[in-house]
Amino acid sequence: MNGTRVGYARCSTDEQDIIIQTEQLLTLGVPEDRIYIDRGFSGTTRRNRTGLDQALAAVWNGSVFTVTKFDRFARNMAEANQILTDLSGRGVLFGLGANVYDWTDPFGRLFLQTLAMVAEFEANLGHMRTREGMALAKKNGKLKGKQPKLPEPARRSIRRRYAEGEVSLADLATEYSVGRSTIHRIIHGPETSR
């Protein structure tokens, strides 16, 4: 396959390093200026993935859209199918590591659909485990939700001073270094702490 490669790399958090993916793409023959990157996205949706959008816009008839692993590209079957169908319609092949697949070939399509299904399944398992862990932590009193920005004594003082007309909502927000919406929630919210 001699088509020009355009590469895409993704990491789920801003802290993760994409050096390995980038090095692998360079080894596969993707020019450095044709590697597009997204940081901080799980891959379960295409929404707001600028790097993916740029990579998809950079391919043309005869080129190869290349990723190192399928789950770096997509973890959602419907979106993977939509993108692969669009690429195929534009004459673009899909490169997974050193292998190149043609979406119009029945075997290539089956293989890529299977990978999309497995990637979505793995993502769903991760979500399920996270929910189970959070439920267990909550049951054991270790997950209490978002804590109030101000301790209860400060909240009582804010309610009292505002009710007595001592200070305005804006003055309280400035004094306690919080937003006006926080003061508003304290004044008009429940009397007990969360």
Side-chain angles (χ1 to χ4, degrees):
M1 169 57 25
N2 57 10
T4 302
R5 288 181 178 254
V6 173
Y8 175 69
R10 178 191 61 78
C11 58
S12 299
T13 65
D14 290 330
E15 294 82 30
Q16 284 182 331
D17 201 344
I18 50 106
I19 291 175
I20 293 173
Q21 288 179 67
T22 304
E23 287 175 353
Q24 289 173 343
L25 288 169
L26 290 169
T27 301
L28 291 168
V30 178
E32 190 170 358
D33 65 336
R34 295 206 176 270
I35 296 175
Y36 299 89
I37 299 168
D38 277 321
R39 289 182 176 88
F41 292 96
S42 68
T44 55
T45 181
R46 182 177 172 182
R47 210 170 346 151
N48 300 322
R49 288 169 61 190
T50 309
L52 178 60
D53 291 338
Q54 291 171 339
L56 294 172
V59 293
W60 62 93
N61 190 358
S63 62
V64 182
F65 179 88
T66 306
V67 294
T68 59
K69 295 180 183 172
F70 195 89
D71 67 349
R72 300 295 89 197
F73 160 63
R75 299 182 107 186
N76 173 310
M77 274 187 64
E79 288 183 355
N81 285 338
Q82 179 185 22
I83 294 169
L84 289 167
T85 300
D86 176 62
L87 289 174
S88 178
R90 293 165 47 200
V92 177
L93 297 174
F94 184 79
L96 180 58
N99 298 312
V100 177
Y101 298 94
D102 182 351
W103 186 245
T104 61
D105 173 64
F107 294 105
R109 187 180 192 111
L110 174 65
F111 180 69
L112 294 174
Q113 285 176 326
T114 302
L115 290 178
M117 182 177 59
V118 170
E120 184 173 315
F121 174 68
E122 287 177 338
N124 289 339
L125 278 180
H127 295 309
M128 183 180 73
R129 289 181 186 130
T130 299
R131 285 190 302 272
E132 288 172 350
M134 290 175 70
L136 181 61
K138 187 173 183 177
K139 178 182 172 188
N140 293 332
K142 304 225 185 224
L143 182 67
K144 298 179 185 191
K146 185 176 178 183
Q147 298 301 307
K149 290 185 179 180
L150 298 172
E152 187 55 33
R155 296 162 66 88
R156 279 194 301 269
S157 175
I158 288 169
R159 284 189 207 97
R160 180 188 53 76
R161 290 173 62 203
Y162 185 80
E164 293 173 358
E166 285 182 31
V167 289
S168 71
L169 194 126
D171 292 337
L172 287 166
T174 302
E175 181 182 334
Y176 286 94
S177 300
V178 295
R180 291 175 60 167
S181 60
T182 299
I183 299 297
H184 187 271
R185 279 192 300 274
I186 291 170
I187 292 168
H188 300 291
E191 294 284 325
T192 59
S193 64
R194 290 197 247 175

